[in-house]
Amino acid sequence: MKMECVFGFVGNGFAVVAADTSAVHSILVHKSNEDKIMVLDSHKLIAASGESGDRVQFTEYIQKNVALYQFRNGIPLTTAAAANFTRGELATALRKNPYFVNILLAGYDKETGPSLYYIDYIATLHKVDKGAFGYGSYFSLSMMDRHYHSGMTVEEAIDLVDKCIMEIRSRLVVAPPNFVIKIVDKDGARQYAWRESVKDAAVASA
Amino acid sequence: MARYDRAITVFSPDGHLFQVEYALEAVRKGNAAVGVRGTDIVVLGVEKKSTAKLQDSRSVKKIVNLDNHIALACAGLKADARVLINRARIECQSHRLTVEDPVTVEYITRYIAGLQQKYTQSGGVRPFGLSTLIVGFDPYSGVPSLYQTDPSGTFSAWKANATGRNSNSIREFLEKNYKETSGQETIKLAIRALLEVVESGGKHIEVAVMTKEHGLRQLEEAEIDAIAAEIEAEKEAAEAAKKAPPKEK
């Protein structure tokens, strides 16, 4: 679980998150193109790492509840509201049957712009400019501390993301080979790019 | 007879469930609602009883989304509608969560009807006092559907239907004038049907259309007025043509 790398930060009018794409069980790599960044709604992304069953179950649950809110109330949740809701669900389950999921929630609101929330598996919630989870965080946080400044452009941001990926690849002993990068801005949440050093054979999509 | 309408669980000697029939009465008193199915579009129209001057009309939405591809209009007790709509919206998301597929129109109709039926067979509760018109597109085949449910819990699919006030007259009109239409023609048919019993103009009817690509769209007052005017003009032209001398082909 700590081998999973998730990191992200806020730029000028956008937020970017990157996650590794390997699904690992003990010494076996199930697949290396597992998308761990879910599109929560039109303008939100959840990058999640941790126990894979919990990760899928929990993020899908949050996604459907966010959708339900929108149908009931006619307007979408703000990023802050979604983050607090997510944290609340983790907190409620914590002392009964906890979810082992770490989350970076990135979103864009028309009124307040881009934002990033750090939510760990024991229901810590922080609004941050940059965040990371896993062993990879030792490297990506250091790189971001060195190179990040507020108001970066998309090009500068992707450059920093690539720097972090390079660092993880070269310095982490069991570094994941592939990463996916997603971005959210005023035009919505979408996939930006993949960074692959090992290509899976083509898999029929579900 | 009076003894058999107190508790819902009791049949009358001649096989009636009076509470259900009274609920249908409540529906008959509700505002008119009409639904028409086209080849690539479904249209819902609802009568808008004059809104109070001080009321914010935006807070009174009569045609609602259950999911991205399903919409509902109803006639009857609006408070009961809120409860049913809420349960249906939860079911739509719950279905997506458990089977990773959006609901089909038939599934959610069956669910709503099932809910309405439950309340005709329990102690101490009364039936929901509303009939619903449910429209939508099958998430994979893209086929449009229109369904109707009523307080007894029965449901069926329709090409076009009406419920609420004067629904019989509207249904008669639809039976006479229905044909397979698409796009604007379907919208016009729905509005024509509604205008049979409702005062003309965008102020008195609420119309929403659903397409596969764009989901549910509420028509603006101005749009409805324009179509109503078109319908008026066509009616007058038809009248004039009838009155004109027969050799004018």
Side-chain angles (χ1 to χ4, degrees):
Chain A
M1 172 176 124
K2 292 206 82 184
M3 293 300 191
E4 294 187 7
C5 307
V6 173
F7 62 93
F9 52 91
V10 176
N12 186 18
F14 68 93
V16 63
V17 284
D20 78 283
T21 59
S22 43
V24 169
H25 188 96
S26 164
I27 56 165
L28 174 69
V29 178
H30 279 300
K31 59 193 290 210
S32 39
N33 59 357
E34 168 84 357
D35 188 347
K36 297 178 192 167
I37 307 182
M38 166 182 277
V39 175
L40 193 62
D41 73 10
S42 63
H43 286 74
K44 292 181 194 47
L45 291 168
I46 280 199
S49 73
E51 197 66 54
S52 24
D54 282 351
R55 174 172 52 81
V56 173
Q57 184 77 347
F58 184 72
T59 53
E60 283 186 355
Y61 172 73
I62 297 296
Q63 187 191 52
K64 301 314 185 241
N65 271 282
V66 167
L68 183 61
Y69 179 96
Q70 179 155 359
F71 282 112
R72 276 184 173 149
N73 299 283
I75 53 167
L77 277 167
T78 59
T79 310
N84 277 282
F85 171 69
T86 305
R87 186 213 91 85
E89 290 298 308
L90 285 168
T92 306
L94 181 61
R95 300 197 190 255
K96 292 212 175 84
N97 47 342
Y99 294 102
F100 277 100
V101 198
N102 297 308
I103 285 170
L104 279 178
L105 200 160
Y108 184 92
D109 303 300
K110 217 159 51 147
E111 299 80 18
T112 50
S115 49
L116 184 66
Y117 287 86
Y118 172 104
I119 307 169
D120 79 6
Y121 72 103
I122 38 178
T124 308
L125 173 67
H126 290 306
K127 184 174 185 303
V128 293
D129 287 331
K130 47 182 152 47
F133 285 109
Y135 281 136
S137 69
Y138 289 118
F139 310 106
S140 49
L141 275 174
S142 304
M143 286 311 270
M144 291 191 283
D145 283 344
R146 171 70 183 82
H147 295 288
Y148 174 86
H149 57 87
S150 64
M152 294 171 84
T153 65
V154 177
E155 291 72 31
E156 289 176 318
I158 298 301
D159 195 55
L160 177 52
V161 168
D162 280 329
K163 280 196 172 69
C164 294
I165 293 176
M166 284 304 144
E167 203 63 19
I168 291 170
R169 275 197 185 138
S170 56
R171 289 299 186 184
L172 187 56
V173 63
V174 198
N178 303 334
F179 284 79
V180 66
I181 306 171
K182 295 198 182 176
I183 192 171
V184 59
D185 60 18
K186 65 173 175 22
D187 299 321
R190 60 193 178 279
Q191 183 174 292
Y192 183 87
W194 282 73
R195 297 286 185 248
E196 289 174 306
S197 56
V198 168
K199 268 199 158 48
D200 246 358
V203 183
S205 56
Chain B
M1 275 300 190
R3 283 215 312 262
Y4 298 102
D5 58 16
R6 186 78 47 76
I8 182 59
T9 47
V10 182
F11 272 108
S12 70
D14 52 348
H16 290 263
L17 284 172
F18 279 112
Q19 279 301 303
V20 176
E21 295 186 8
Y22 296 164
L24 280 153
E25 258 311 301
V27 170
R28 258 173 245 129
K29 292 205 166 26
N31 42 237
V34 73
V36 181
R37 182 189 84 193
T39 53
D40 61 351
I41 190 177
V42 279
V43 183
L44 284 170
V46 180
E47 169 190 8
K48 233 192 328 201
K49 291 219 185 85
S50 48
T51 42
K53 273 216 189 97
L54 296 171
Q55 188 182 63
D56 186 348
S57 55
R58 288 172 306 169
S59 65
V60 191
K61 273 248 139 58
K62 302 229 168 123
I63 304 172
V64 296
N65 252 330
L66 296 183
D67 202 343
N68 295 321
H69 60 302
I70 313 245
L72 176 149
C74 56
L77 269 46
K78 288 295 184 270
D80 287 4
R82 253 194 352 253
V83 173
L84 222 47
I85 288 167
N86 190 40
R87 296 286 297 270
R89 281 172 168 160
I90 293 173
E91 180 62 20
C92 284
Q93 295 307 313
S94 179
H95 187 275
R96 279 179 184 260
L97 186 58
T98 49
V99 305
E100 246 184 63
D101 255 347
V103 296
T104 56
V105 191
E106 202 242 349
Y107 177 94
I108 197 65
T109 306
R110 188 186 295 276
Y111 176 82
I112 292 174
L115 210 47
Q116 287 180 294
Q117 190 280 340
K118 246 196 267 269
Y119 283 70
T120 69
Q121 214 176 8
S122 298
V125 298
R126 62 163 176 81
F128 288 98
L130 68 147
S131 291
T132 68
L133 287 171
I134 301 166
V135 296
F137 288 82
D138 185 287
Y140 292 108
S141 68
V143 170
S145 312
L146 164 68
Y147 282 84
Q148 190 213 33
T149 74
D150 65 26
S152 67
T154 48
F155 72 93
S156 53
W158 294 75
K159 295 180 189 161
N161 201 0
T163 179
R165 214 164 59 85
N166 300 119
S167 56
N168 287 325
S169 342
I170 306 181
R171 206 172 303 119
E172 251 180 67
F173 174 87
L174 286 168
E175 279 176 10
K176 250 195 278 210
N177 294 283
Y178 179 85
K179 55 186 197 314
E180 286 282 321
T181 51
S182 67
Q184 196 68 1
E185 282 305 308
T186 318
I187 304 175
K188 245 202 250 176
L189 179 58
I191 296 182
R192 269 170 68 202
L194 204 46
L195 289 178
E196 288 285 305
V197 303
V198 177
E199 226 182 290
S200 179
K203 277 208 183 353
H204 303 275
I205 55 179
E206 191 178 308
V207 181
V209 306
M210 176 171 271
T211 49
K212 181 121 182 84
E213 300 78 31
H214 304 292
L216 188 69
R217 183 176 73 90
Q218 308 268 356
L219 262 52
E220 309 263 335
E221 228 181 86
E223 261 186 278
I224 301 173
D225 280 333
I227 300 176
E230 241 184 87
I231 293 168
E232 261 310 303
E234 280 174 10
K235 240 197 256 184
E236 281 172 16
E239 290 287 320
K242 253 195 271 178
K243 292 210 185 92
K247 67 172 177 283
E248 202 200 279
K249 194 275 171 188

